[in-house]
């Protein structure tokens, strides 16, 4: 929906809104907010709310800390889980004191990528995300455990699926907040779930992913559960992905569709996919941004670890869903829900546009199960693997001019620094597996 300032003032009064959260996202994808009383709403609507950017991960130094929150009026929503002294939300863009957009704002980075697409004649990038999550039990103090709330499997029902009631309440809450939910179901792993919501333009889709995570965690807590979007919380079962279905439009025309093509794919779609495949290894640090992300990207657990595509086979990184016409789209399967959605969509779009601009040739599809191919067979077929760990992904990112440009100097430098620290902490830590393996052996 579109809102005016007057709409927001009226709804706030009618629904007894007492507080407004001005939300934004830091470089690592964490939602941040400044909560203001409704008496300060007018100031917020006039873009006059200031905050200290030096305290936000990946933003600015202490000597240049003043930043401004510019609310996007169309993101106005009243949270349904508070009935008295109600709380509303506005998602904000970040601006500098001189009125220029902050170069390190993830939402602004995605807007820059979309402007590049617009300059090439594409009016919209539509995205349908599929973030998966686990539900864990909490202990007597309300702290999360690693004990799952059920032992269900794919599409199971209660009593095997003990998360059914929680998932249903999540769906109802999301619908009350304006989401159009298409399906919800138990996923493959015990305790794992998926809720699919309708595609939207890229900015709205990224906003919805952040809102979705907040709702899932809030409702789960009310059920005595902890919802985790960690990519691989448990060994020996599938991890959680965030497949991103995407397509480009010119007006009302889906430029990925060509009815004359055997697969219904236009030359634009093929060049776009070629760009995604070419830059896949360099994008991985953004689409799979944690140490843990690479525990998911291993053979045997339905997560793609090889850079290839297919119209049907689910082992490659890119799959083409069966729908055609306006629904023709590319499903990129390697991103995970730990990714900052604004940055992930920005780098995927920029990679795809590079493929279009340079008319990159699309490799032949891989219709065999890549997991059972030998390394020699994969090499002969020209199928590289995604990075094996975060360090390799970071090194690949720095080698790509396209991905570095998509992020911009500010975000690139700060993201790399934060992830280098994360890698070094992991690398130097002594883990329980090492003690179990070596303590008595040596």
């Amino acid at each position: 929906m579109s809102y005016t300032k007057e709409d927001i003032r009226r709804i706030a009064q009618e629904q007894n809104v007492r507080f407004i959260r001005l939300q934004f996202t830091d470089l690592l994808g964490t939602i941040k907010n400044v909560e203001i009383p409704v008496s300060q709403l007018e100031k917020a609507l006039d873009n006059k709310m200031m905050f200290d950017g030096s305290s936000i991960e990946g933003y600015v130094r202490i000597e240049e800390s003043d930043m401004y929150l510019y609310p996007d009026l169309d993101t106005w929503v009243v949270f349904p889980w508070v009935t008295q002294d109600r709380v509303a939300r506005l998602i904000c863009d970040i601006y500098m004191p001189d009125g220029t957009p902050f170069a390190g704002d993830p939402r602004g980075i995605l807007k820059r990528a979309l402007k590049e697409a617009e300059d090439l004649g594409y009016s919209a990038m539509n995205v349908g995300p599929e973030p998966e999550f686990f539900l864990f039990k909490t202990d007597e103090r309300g702290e999360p455990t690693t004990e799952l709330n059920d032992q269900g499997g794919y599409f199971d029902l209660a009593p095997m699926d003990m998360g059914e009631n929680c998932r249903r309440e999540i769906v109802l809450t999301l619908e009350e907040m304006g989401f159009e939910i298409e399906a919800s179901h138990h996923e493959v792993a015990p305790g794992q779930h998926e809720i699919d919501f309708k595609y939207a333009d890229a900015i709205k889709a990224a906003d919805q992913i952040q809102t979705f995570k907040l709702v899932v965690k809030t409702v789960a807590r009310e059920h005595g559960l902890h919802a985790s979007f960690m990519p691989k919380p448990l060994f020996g079962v599938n991890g959680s992905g965030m497949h991103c279905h995407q397509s480009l439009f010119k007006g009302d025309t889906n430029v990925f569709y060509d009815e004359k093509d055997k697969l219904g794919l236009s030359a634009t779609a093929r060049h776009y996919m070629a760009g995604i495949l070419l830059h896949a290894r360099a994008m991985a640090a953004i689409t799979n941004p944690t140490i843990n992300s690479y525990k998911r990207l291993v053979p045997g657990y339905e997560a793609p670890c090889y850079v290839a595509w297919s119209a049907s086979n689910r082992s490659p990184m890119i799959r083409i869903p069966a729908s055609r016409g306006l629904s023709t789209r590319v499903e990129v399967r390697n991103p995970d829900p730990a990714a900052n959605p604004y940055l992930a969509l920005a780098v995927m779009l920029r990679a795809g546009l590079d493929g279009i601009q340079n008319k990159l040739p699309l490799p032949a599809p891989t219709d065999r199960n890549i997991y059972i191919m030998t390394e020699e067979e994969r090499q002969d077929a020209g199928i590289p693997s995604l990075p094996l760990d975060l360090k390799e992904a970071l090194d690949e990112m720095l080698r790509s001019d396209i991905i570095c440009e998509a992020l911009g100097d500010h975000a690139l430098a700060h993201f790399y620094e934060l992830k280098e620290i994360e890698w070094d902490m992991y690398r130097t830590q002594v883990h329980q597996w090492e003690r179990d393996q070596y303590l008595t052996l040596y």
Side-chain angles (χ1 to χ4, degrees):
M1 292 183 63
S2 294
Y3 293 99
T4 64
K5 292 182 180 181
E6 184 53 43
D7 291 332
I8 291 172
R9 295 187 196 100
R10 174 179 51 79
I11 296 169
Q13 185 173 17
E14 289 175 353
Q15 298 198 26
N16 193 34
V17 172
R18 301 297 299 275
F19 296 94
I20 297 97
R21 292 181 182 175
L22 304 177
Q23 288 185 355
F24 57 100
T25 296
D26 72 11
L27 204 56
L28 298 181
T30 304
I31 299 174
K32 301 292 184 180
N33 81 101
V34 176
E35 187 169 88
I36 61 172
V38 73
S39 61
Q40 298 298 305
L41 175 59
E42 203 62 41
K43 184 177 178 181
L45 294 177
D46 289 338
N47 302 329
K48 293 181 179 178
M49 292 303 303
M50 193 168 61
F51 74 102
D52 177 10
S54 67
S55 299
I56 304 301
E57 208 71 86
Y59 271 34
V60 292
R61 297 169 296 181
I62 195 166
E63 65 267 26
E64 51 187 13
S65 59
D66 289 346
M67 310 185 87
Y68 285 84
L69 297 162
Y70 282 34
D72 181 338
L73 303 188
D74 292 344
T75 65
W76 168 263
V77 69
V78 180
F79 289 133
W81 52 77
V82 180
T83 54
Q84 293 182 336
D85 295 337
R86 301 196 76 177
V87 179
R89 184 281 312 274
L90 284 163
I91 295 175
C92 301
D93 295 308
I94 310 300
Y95 278 72
M96 303 301 290
D98 64 2
T100 58
F102 169 48
D105 175 19
R107 202 169 189 260
I109 290 169
L110 177 54
K111 285 186 173 183
R112 290 204 305 268
L114 290 166
K115 180 62 169 61
E116 290 186 44
E118 184 182 341
D119 291 343
L120 293 173
Y122 304 108
S123 57
M125 175 197 192
N126 280 350
V127 179
E130 297 177 349
E132 298 168 336
F133 60 94
F134 279 82
L135 291 176
F136 292 100
K137 294 181 180 179
T138 55
D139 62 20
E140 61 279 359
R141 295 172 298 169
E143 296 295 322
T145 70
T146 54
E147 184 181 355
L148 296 166
N149 76 311
D150 69 49
Q151 293 298 314
Y154 196 61
F155 275 35
D156 271 347
L157 306 173
M160 291 298 291
D161 175 9
M162 298 301 291
E164 195 174 72
N165 290 335
C166 177
R167 198 172 63 241
R168 187 175 293 127
E169 187 172 332
I170 291 169
V171 168
L172 293 174
T173 302
L174 289 168
E175 287 185 328
E176 196 170 341
M177 295 176 71
F179 281 68
E180 185 175 338
I181 303 300
E182 295 187 332
S184 74
H185 59 87
H186 199 288
E187 257 297 339
V188 174
Q192 188 183 35
H193 304 269
E194 181 179 315
I195 297 172
D196 299 329
F197 43 94
K198 189 177 180 180
Y199 68 86
D201 67 84
I203 291 290
K204 184 176 180 181
D207 289 344
Q208 286 183 328
I209 291 168
Q210 295 297 76
T211 301
F212 176 82
K213 291 179 180 179
L214 178 63
V215 170
V216 169
K217 286 180 174 290
T218 299
V219 174
R221 187 171 65 236
E222 292 174 353
H223 283 256
L225 299 169
H226 173 72
S228 177
F229 290 91
M230 181 179 178
K232 184 82 169 185
L234 300 171
F235 174 73
V237 299
N238 288 12
S240 291
M242 186 174 71
H243 303 168
C244 292
H245 298 248
Q246 48 203 277
S247 55
L248 293 180
F249 274 68
K250 288 185 176 181
D252 295 330
T253 302
N254 183 345
V255 299
F256 279 8
Y257 177 58
D258 181 355
E259 61 180 5
K260 298 176 183 177
D261 181 75
K262 183 175 67 173
L263 294 176
L265 296 175
S266 68
T268 301
R270 292 173 181 274
H271 294 320
Y272 187 94
M273 284 194 289
I276 295 282
L277 294 173
L278 177 66
H279 298 290
R281 287 174 55 81
M283 292 191 301
I286 303 298
T287 57
N288 307 92
T290 69
I291 299 288
N292 182 254
S293 296
Y294 297 86
K295 306 293 179 73
R296 167 181 167 256
L297 299 178
V298 295
Y301 296 99
E302 296 193 9
C305 40
Y306 302 111
V307 182
W309 76 280
S310 173
S312 56
N313 183 5
R314 290 176 184 265
S315 62
M317 193 187 102
I318 294 179
R319 185 179 76 93
I320 309 301
S323 299
R324 290 295 180 268
L326 286 176
S327 298
T328 303
R329 60 196 187 272
V330 169
E331 180 188 7
V332 184
R333 298 170 56 82
N334 66 299
D336 66 52
N340 182 322
Y342 302 101
L343 299 184
L345 293 181
V347 297
M348 284 189 281
L349 174 58
R350 191 61 191 83
L353 292 178
D354 182 56
I356 293 171
Q357 287 176 285
N358 291 292
K359 292 183 166 45
L360 297 179
L362 181 66
T366 303
D367 296 325
R368 290 182 58 193
N369 184 348
I370 306 177
Y371 299 140
I372 63 173
M373 293 171 68
T374 66
E375 184 174 352
E376 184 178 0
E377 287 174 324
R378 290 196 301 271
Q379 288 178 351
D380 290 343
I383 302 174
S385 65
L386 287 165
L388 298 178
D389 56 43
L390 181 60
K391 175 60 175 171
E392 185 181 348
L394 290 170
D395 292 342
E396 289 284 343
M397 179 181 70
L398 290 186
R399 285 194 280 267
S400 169
D401 291 341
I402 293 296
I403 303 307
C404 291
E405 289 170 9
L407 296 173
D409 292 342
H410 183 101
L412 175 67
H414 285 79
F415 182 85
Y416 185 82
E417 180 183 11
L418 291 168
K419 289 300 169 179
E420 276 277 277
I421 292 170
E422 182 178 333
W423 173 257
D424 201 53
M425 290 174 64
Y426 173 76
R427 182 183 63 82
T428 58
Q429 179 63 258
V430 178
H431 301 274
Q432 185 59 45
W433 183 90
E434 297 170 88
R435 286 189 283 268
D436 292 341
Q437 291 290 117
Y438 307 131
L439 194 61
T440 57
L441 184 61
Y442 297 104

Coordinates of all heavy atoms in Angstrom, one line a residue, residues 95-142:
Y95 N 20.6 9.0 5.7 CA 21.2 10.2 5.0 C 22.2 10.9 5.9 O 22.2 10.8 7.1 CB 20.1 11.1 4.6 CG 19.3 10.8 3.4 CD1 18.5 9.7 3.3 CD2 19.5 11.5 2.2 CE1 17.8 9.3 2.2 CE2 18.9 11.1 1.0 CZ 18.0 10.1 1.0 OH 17.3 9.7 -0.1
M96 N 23.1 11.5 5.2 CA 24.1 12.3 5.9 C 23.6 13.7 6.2 O 22.6 14.1 5.6 CB 25.4 12.5 5.0 CG 26.0 11.1 4.6 SD 26.5 10.1 6.0 CE 27.9 11.1 6.6
P97 N 24.2 14.5 7.1 CA 23.7 15.8 7.5 C 23.6 16.8 6.3 O 22.8 17.7 6.3 CB 24.8 16.3 8.5 CG 25.3 15.1 9.1 CD 25.4 14.1 8.0
D98 N 24.4 16.5 5.2 CA 24.3 17.4 4.1 C 23.2 17.1 3.1 O 23.1 17.6 2.0 CB 25.7 17.5 3.3 CG 26.1 16.1 2.7 OD1 25.3 15.2 2.8 OD2 27.2 16.0 2.1
G99 N 22.4 16.0 3.5 CA 21.2 15.7 2.7 C 21.5 14.6 1.6 O 20.6 14.3 0.8
T100 N 22.7 14.1 1.6 CA 23.1 13.0 0.6 C 22.9 11.7 1.2 O 23.1 11.5 2.4 CB 24.6 13.2 0.1 OG1 25.4 13.1 1.3 CG2 24.8 14.5 -0.6
P101 N 22.5 10.7 0.4 CA 22.3 9.3 0.9 C 23.7 8.8 1.5 O 24.7 9.0 0.9 CB 21.9 8.5 -0.3 CG 21.4 9.5 -1.3 CD 22.2 10.8 -1.1
F102 N 23.6 8.0 2.6 CA 24.8 7.4 3.1 C 25.2 6.3 2.3 O 24.5 5.3 2.0 CB 24.5 7.0 4.6 CG 25.5 6.1 5.2 CD1 26.9 6.5 5.2 CD2 25.2 4.9 5.8 CE1 27.8 5.7 5.7 CE2 26.1 4.1 6.4 CZ 27.5 4.5 6.3
A103 N 26.5 6.3 1.9 CA 27.0 5.3 0.9 C 27.0 3.9 1.5 O 27.0 2.9 0.7 CB 28.4 5.7 0.5
G104 N 27.0 3.7 2.8 CA 27.1 2.4 3.4 C 25.7 1.9 3.8 O 25.7 0.8 4.5
D105 N 24.7 2.5 3.5 CA 23.3 2.0 3.9 C 22.9 0.9 2.9 O 22.8 1.1 1.7 CB 22.3 3.2 3.7 CG 20.9 2.8 3.9 OD1 20.7 1.7 4.6 OD2 20.0 3.5 3.5
P106 N 22.7 -0.3 3.5 CA 22.4 -1.5 2.6 C 21.2 -1.2 1.7 O 21.2 -1.6 0.6 CB 22.2 -2.6 3.6 CG 23.0 -2.2 4.8 CD 22.9 -0.7 4.9
R107 N 20.2 -0.6 2.3 CA 19.0 -0.3 1.4 C 19.3 0.6 0.3 O 18.9 0.5 -0.8 CB 17.9 0.3 2.3 CG 16.5 0.2 1.8 CD 15.5 0.5 2.9 NE 14.1 0.2 2.5 CZ 13.2 1.1 2.0 NH1 13.6 2.4 1.9 NH2 12.0 0.7 1.7
G108 N 20.2 1.6 0.6 CA 20.7 2.5 -0.5 C 21.5 1.8 -1.5 O 21.5 2.2 -2.7
I109 N 22.3 0.8 -1.1 CA 23.1 0.1 -2.0 C 22.3 -0.7 -3.0 O 22.5 -0.7 -4.2 CB 24.1 -0.9 -1.3 CG1 25.2 0.0 -0.5 CG2 24.7 -1.9 -2.2 CD1 26.0 -0.8 0.4
L110 N 21.2 -1.3 -2.5 CA 20.2 -2.0 -3.4 C 19.6 -0.9 -4.4 O 19.4 -1.2 -5.6 CB 19.2 -2.7 -2.6 CG 18.1 -3.4 -3.4 CD1 18.7 -4.4 -4.5 CD2 17.2 -4.2 -2.5
K111 N 19.2 0.2 -3.8 CA 18.6 1.2 -4.7 C 19.6 1.7 -5.8 O 19.1 1.9 -6.9 CB 18.2 2.4 -3.9 CG 16.9 2.2 -3.0 CD 16.5 3.5 -2.3 CE 15.1 3.2 -1.6 NZ 14.6 4.5 -1.0
R112 N 20.9 1.7 -5.5 CA 21.8 2.1 -6.6 C 21.9 1.1 -7.7 O 21.9 1.4 -8.8 CB 23.2 2.3 -5.9 CG 23.4 3.5 -5.1 CD 24.8 4.0 -5.0 NE 25.7 2.9 -4.5 CZ 26.1 2.7 -3.3 NH1 25.6 3.5 -2.3 NH2 26.9 1.7 -3.0
A113 N 21.8 -0.2 -7.3 CA 21.8 -1.3 -8.3 C 20.6 -1.3 -9.1 O 20.6 -1.5 -10.3 CB 22.0 -2.7 -7.6
L114 N 19.4 -1.0 -8.5 CA 18.2 -0.9 -9.2 C 18.2 0.3 -10.2 O 17.6 0.3 -11.3 CB 17.0 -0.7 -8.3 CG 16.7 -2.0 -7.5 CD1 15.7 -1.7 -6.3 CD2 16.1 -3.1 -8.4
K115 N 18.9 1.4 -9.8 CA 19.0 2.6 -10.7 C 19.8 2.2 -11.9 O 19.5 2.6 -13.0 CB 19.7 3.7 -9.9 CG 19.9 5.0 -10.8 CD 18.6 5.6 -11.2 CE 18.7 7.0 -11.8 NZ 19.5 7.0 -13.0
E116 N 20.9 1.3 -11.7 CA 21.6 0.9 -12.9 C 20.7 0.1 -13.8 O 20.8 0.2 -15.1 CB 22.8 0.0 -12.4 CG 23.9 0.8 -11.7 CD 25.1 -0.1 -11.4 OE1 25.5 -0.8 -12.3 OE2 25.6 0.0 -10.3
A117 N 19.9 -0.8 -13.3 CA 18.9 -1.5 -14.1 C 18.0 -0.6 -14.8 O 17.7 -0.8 -16.0 CB 18.2 -2.5 -13.2
E118 N 17.5 0.4 -14.1 CA 16.6 1.4 -14.7 C 17.2 2.1 -15.9 O 16.6 2.3 -16.9 CB 16.1 2.3 -13.7 CG 15.1 3.3 -14.1 CD 14.7 4.3 -13.1 OE1 14.9 4.0 -11.9 OE2 14.1 5.4 -13.4
D119 N 18.5 2.5 -15.7 CA 19.2 3.1 -16.8 C 19.4 2.3 -18.0 O 19.6 2.8 -19.1 CB 20.6 3.6 -16.3 CG 20.5 4.7 -15.2 OD1 19.5 5.3 -15.1 OD2 21.5 4.9 -14.5
L120 N 19.3 0.9 -17.8 CA 19.4 0.0 -18.9 C 18.0 -0.3 -19.5 O 17.9 -1.1 -20.4 CB 20.1 -1.3 -18.5 CG 21.6 -1.2 -18.1 CD1 22.1 -2.5 -17.6 CD2 22.4 -0.8 -19.4
G121 N 17.0 0.3 -18.9 CA 15.6 0.1 -19.5 C 14.7 -0.8 -18.7 O 13.6 -1.1 -19.1
Y122 N 15.2 -1.4 -17.6 CA 14.4 -2.3 -16.8 C 13.7 -1.6 -15.6 O 14.4 -1.0 -14.8 CB 15.3 -3.4 -16.2 CG 16.1 -4.1 -17.3 CD1 17.4 -4.0 -17.5 CD2 15.4 -4.9 -18.3 CE1 18.1 -4.6 -18.6 CE2 16.0 -5.6 -19.3 CZ 17.4 -5.4 -19.4 OH 18.1 -6.0 -20.5
S123 N 12.4 -1.6 -15.6 CA 11.6 -0.8 -14.7 C 11.5 -1.5 -13.3 O 11.3 -0.8 -12.3 CB 10.2 -0.6 -15.2 OG 9.6 -1.8 -15.5
A124 N 11.7 -2.8 -13.2 CA 11.6 -3.5 -12.0 C 12.4 -4.8 -11.9 O 12.5 -5.5 -13.0 CB 10.1 -3.8 -11.7
M125 N 12.8 -5.2 -10.8 CA 13.4 -6.5 -10.5 C 12.4 -7.1 -9.5 O 12.2 -6.6 -8.4 CB 14.8 -6.4 -9.9 CG 15.3 -7.8 -9.4 SD 16.7 -7.6 -8.3 CE 17.4 -9.3 -8.3
N126 N 11.7 -8.2 -9.9 CA 10.8 -8.9 -9.0 C 11.5 -10.0 -8.3 O 12.3 -10.7 -8.9 CB 9.6 -9.4 -9.7 CG 8.5 -8.3 -10.0 OD1 8.6 -7.2 -9.4 ND2 7.5 -8.6 -10.8
V127 N 11.3 -10.2 -7.0 CA 12.0 -11.2 -6.2 C 10.9 -11.9 -5.3 O 10.1 -11.3 -4.7 CB 13.0 -10.5 -5.3 CG1 13.7 -11.6 -4.4 CG2 14.0 -9.7 -6.1
G128 N 11.1 -13.2 -5.4 CA 10.3 -14.1 -4.5 C 11.2 -14.9 -3.6 O 11.8 -15.9 -4.0
P129 N 11.4 -14.4 -2.4 CA 12.4 -15.1 -1.5 C 11.7 -16.3 -0.7 O 10.5 -16.3 -0.5 CB 12.8 -14.0 -0.5 CG 11.6 -13.1 -0.4 CD 10.9 -13.2 -1.7
E130 N 12.5 -17.3 -0.3 CA 12.1 -18.4 0.4 C 13.0 -18.7 1.6 O 13.8 -19.6 1.6 CB 12.0 -19.7 -0.4 CG 11.1 -19.6 -1.6 CD 11.1 -20.8 -2.5 OE1 12.0 -21.6 -2.3 OE2 10.2 -20.9 -3.4
P131 N 12.9 -17.8 2.7 CA 13.8 -18.0 3.8 C 13.2 -19.2 4.7 O 12.1 -19.2 5.1 CB 13.7 -16.7 4.6 CG 12.4 -16.1 4.1 CD 12.1 -16.6 2.8
E132 N 14.1 -20.1 5.0 CA 13.8 -21.3 5.9 C 14.3 -21.0 7.3 O 15.2 -20.2 7.5 CB 14.4 -22.6 5.3 CG 13.8 -22.9 3.9 CD 14.6 -24.0 3.3 OE1 15.8 -24.2 3.6 OE2 14.1 -24.7 2.4
F133 N 13.7 -21.7 8.3 CA 14.1 -21.5 9.7 C 13.9 -22.8 10.5 O 13.1 -23.6 10.1 CB 13.4 -20.3 10.3 CG 11.9 -20.4 10.3 CD1 11.2 -20.9 11.4 CD2 11.2 -20.0 9.2 CE1 9.9 -21.0 11.5 CE2 9.8 -20.1 9.2 CZ 9.1 -20.6 10.3
F134 N 14.5 -22.8 11.6 CA 14.3 -23.9 12.6 C 13.6 -23.4 13.8 O 13.8 -22.2 14.2 CB 15.7 -24.5 13.0 CG 16.3 -25.5 12.0 CD1 17.0 -25.1 10.9 CD2 16.1 -26.9 12.2 CE1 17.5 -26.0 10.0 CE2 16.6 -27.8 11.3 CZ 17.4 -27.4 10.2
L135 N 12.8 -24.3 14.4 CA 12.2 -24.0 15.7 C 12.9 -24.9 16.8 O 12.8 -26.1 16.7 CB 10.7 -24.2 15.7 CG 9.9 -23.2 14.8 CD1 8.4 -23.6 14.8 CD2 10.1 -21.8 15.4
F136 N 13.5 -24.2 17.8 CA 14.1 -25.0 18.9 C 13.3 -24.7 20.2 O 12.7 -23.6 20.4 CB 15.5 -24.5 19.1 CG 16.4 -24.9 18.0 CD1 16.8 -24.0 17.0 CD2 16.9 -26.2 17.9 CE1 17.6 -24.4 15.9 CE2 17.8 -26.6 16.8 CZ 18.1 -25.7 15.9
K137 N 13.4 -25.6 21.1 CA 12.8 -25.4 22.4 C 13.7 -24.5 23.2 O 14.9 -24.3 23.0 CB 12.7 -26.7 23.2 CG 11.6 -27.7 22.5 CD 11.5 -29.0 23.3 CE 10.5 -29.9 22.7 NZ 10.4 -31.2 23.5
T138 N 13.1 -23.8 24.2 CA 13.8 -23.0 25.1 C 13.9 -23.6 26.5 O 13.0 -24.4 26.8 CB 13.2 -21.6 25.2 OG1 11.8 -21.7 25.6 CG2 13.3 -20.8 23.9
D139 N 14.9 -23.2 27.3 CA 15.0 -23.8 28.7 C 14.1 -23.0 29.6 O 13.4 -22.1 29.3 CB 16.5 -23.8 29.1 CG 17.1 -22.5 29.2 OD1 16.4 -21.4 29.3 OD2 18.4 -22.4 29.1
E140 N 14.3 -23.3 30.9 CA 13.4 -22.7 32.0 C 13.7 -21.2 32.1 O 12.8 -20.4 32.6 CB 13.6 -23.4 33.3 CG 15.0 -23.3 33.9 CD 16.0 -24.4 33.3 OE1 15.5 -25.1 32.4 OE2 17.1 -24.4 33.7
R141 N 14.8 -20.7 31.6 CA 15.1 -19.3 31.6 C 14.7 -18.6 30.3 O 15.0 -17.4 30.2 CB 16.6 -19.1 31.9 CG 17.1 -19.5 33.3 CD 18.6 -19.5 33.4 NE 19.2 -20.4 32.4 CZ 20.5 -20.4 32.1 NH1 21.3 -19.5 32.6 NH2 21.0 -21.2 31.2
G142 N 14.2 -19.3 29.4 CA 13.8 -18.8 28.1 C 14.9 -18.7 27.1 O 14.8 -18.1 26.0

